[in-house]
Amino acid sequence: MEKRVVFRSAWLPYLLLAPQLVITAMFFFWPAIQAVYYSFLLQDAFGMSSQFVWFENYAALFRDSHYLSSFKTTAFFATMVATSGILISLLLATMADSVIKGALVYKTFLIWPYAVAPAIAGVLWAFIFAPSIGIVTYYLKLMGFDWNWIIDPEQAMALVVIASVWKQISYNFLFFLAGLQSIPKSLIEAAAIDGAGPFRRFWTIVFPLLSPTTFFLLVINIIYSFFDTFGVIDATTQGGPGDATKVLVYKVYYDGVKAADLGSSSAQSVILMIVVVTLTVVQFRYVERKVQY
């Protein structure tokens, strides 16, 4: 028999929900409505007056080759961050789950990066890979590899991907480790008795049981790569060199804050929101079919 919570007061549930609803309305719905409104406006160079131009800002964006190239940059960046972050975290969680001695210390060290702010993570990796004083750069030069992400677009992209993945690994690790620990050991032991090797046990038993966790982290990591990596990019490459690391979320900030083009920036934010919502719906519509609950 299903148990349901019954409140004595009809107003109590709404009172409990009110703080979260107010916060969501103030910091999500109201800014989103403002972004849609400003996307139909065109301001003068000094921001003193504005003109209602309907969809001209959107049309101008899709005629802009720099904006269209940022879609390719974002797609590559999001794919690398989400895929690498999930695979590395799954590997680390599998290793941590099999550790017996010193497991608590090992797990604690893997969780620490999540406490680091994205901007701090970007600065940290920028110092490690600094062209003149970076410790990693020093050893790369000893091996005959010239590393200078300030002028090399591919190296700049590699830097922000590494910093973004490192920042998100701890979050993924926690969920994968919890998923691994929830799998009954008897299933794995039975497969081992039947002669299944470690790889076969993982691929046929462990990974299918982790599919709900993997799907959840796939959605979260794609959203993270589209939005929360702004701090990493702003603290390191600032979209450069050229437009090599200018992903969609950073272009919204650059055009709105630095270029003072509020109409175009608002239109970009609306498009970005539509893209992310569409990707999320597609994942729930098609990818979730392969999830085994």
Side-chain angles (χ1 to χ4, degrees):
M1 182 178 179
E2 183 182 357
K3 294 183 179 180
R4 301 185 63 181
V5 177
V6 179
F7 293 93
R8 295 181 179 179
S9 173
W11 292 100
L12 182 58
Y14 300 99
L15 184 64
L16 295 175
L17 287 173
Q20 183 61 45
L21 293 176
V22 170
I23 292 174
T24 303
M26 288 179 59
F27 295 101
F28 180 76
F29 288 110
W30 177 243
I33 293 172
Q34 281 189 313
V36 173
Y37 172 71
Y38 285 120
S39 68
F40 295 121
L41 300 180
L42 181 64
Q43 290 185 333
D44 62 6
F46 302 99
M48 302 298 294
S49 63
S50 58
Q51 178 184 359
F52 205 78
V53 294
W54 291 101
F55 294 97
E56 287 188 19
N57 287 322
Y58 294 94
L61 283 176
F62 289 102
R63 291 194 301 265
D64 185 0
S65 60
H66 295 285
Y67 180 68
L68 296 178
S69 67
S70 67
F71 272 92
K72 298 179 182 178
T73 303
T74 305
F76 176 79
F77 175 73
T79 303
M80 293 298 297
V81 170
T83 305
S84 303
I86 290 176
L87 291 177
I88 295 173
S89 302
L90 180 58
L91 175 62
L92 293 174
T94 305
M95 295 170 62
D97 189 47
S98 62
V99 170
I100 299 177
K101 294 183 179 180
L104 181 61
V105 177
Y106 181 65
K107 296 172 184 177
T108 302
F109 279 129
L110 285 173
I111 294 172
W112 273 3
Y114 190 61
V116 180
I120 302 300
V123 172
L124 173 65
W125 284 97
F127 271 112
I128 293 175
F129 284 94
S132 56
I133 60 174
I135 183 66
V136 176
T137 305
Y138 172 76
Y139 287 107
L140 288 175
K141 287 183 178 179
L142 291 180
M143 293 185 292
F145 188 80
D146 186 21
W147 179 275
N148 191 341
W149 56 267
I150 296 178
I151 61 174
D152 191 303
E154 295 181 358
Q155 293 177 5
M157 176 59 74
L159 173 66
V160 294
V161 167
I162 292 172
S164 301
V165 169
W166 179 82
K167 174 67 180 68
Q168 188 69 1
I169 276 180
S170 299
Y171 184 89
N172 301 336
F173 170 80
L174 285 173
F175 280 91
F176 274 131
L177 184 62
L180 287 170
Q181 292 178 344
S182 66
I183 296 176
K185 300 299 180 184
S186 57
L187 295 177
I188 301 175
E189 292 172 356
I193 293 173
D194 290 339
F199 179 78
R200 186 172 181 81
R201 292 198 300 269
F202 177 82
W203 189 250
T204 58
I205 298 176
V206 176
F207 189 71
L209 293 175
L210 282 177
S211 58
T213 304
T214 306
F215 173 71
F216 166 76
L217 290 177
L218 176 63
V219 175
I220 293 299
N221 278 260
I222 289 180
I223 295 175
Y224 163 77
S225 63
F226 269 87
F227 292 107
D228 292 344
T229 54
F230 166 81
V232 174
I233 296 174
D234 188 52
T236 52
T237 63
Q238 296 183 353
D243 292 336
T245 58
K246 190 174 287 185
V247 296
L248 289 172
V249 67
Y250 192 81
K251 195 169 189 336
V252 171
Y253 160 78
Y254 183 88
D255 289 353
V257 177
K258 294 188 174 182
D261 190 350
L262 184 60
S264 177
S265 176
S266 299
Q268 291 177 46
S269 66
V270 173
I271 294 173
L272 178 59
M273 180 175 62
I274 293 173
V275 169
V276 173
V277 170
T278 303
L279 285 174
T280 305
V281 171
V282 168
Q283 290 177 86
F284 275 94
R285 180 68 176 84
Y286 297 103
V287 180
E288 195 182 18
R289 291 180 177 179
K290 301 182 181 297
V291 176
Q292 303 179 22
Y293 290 101

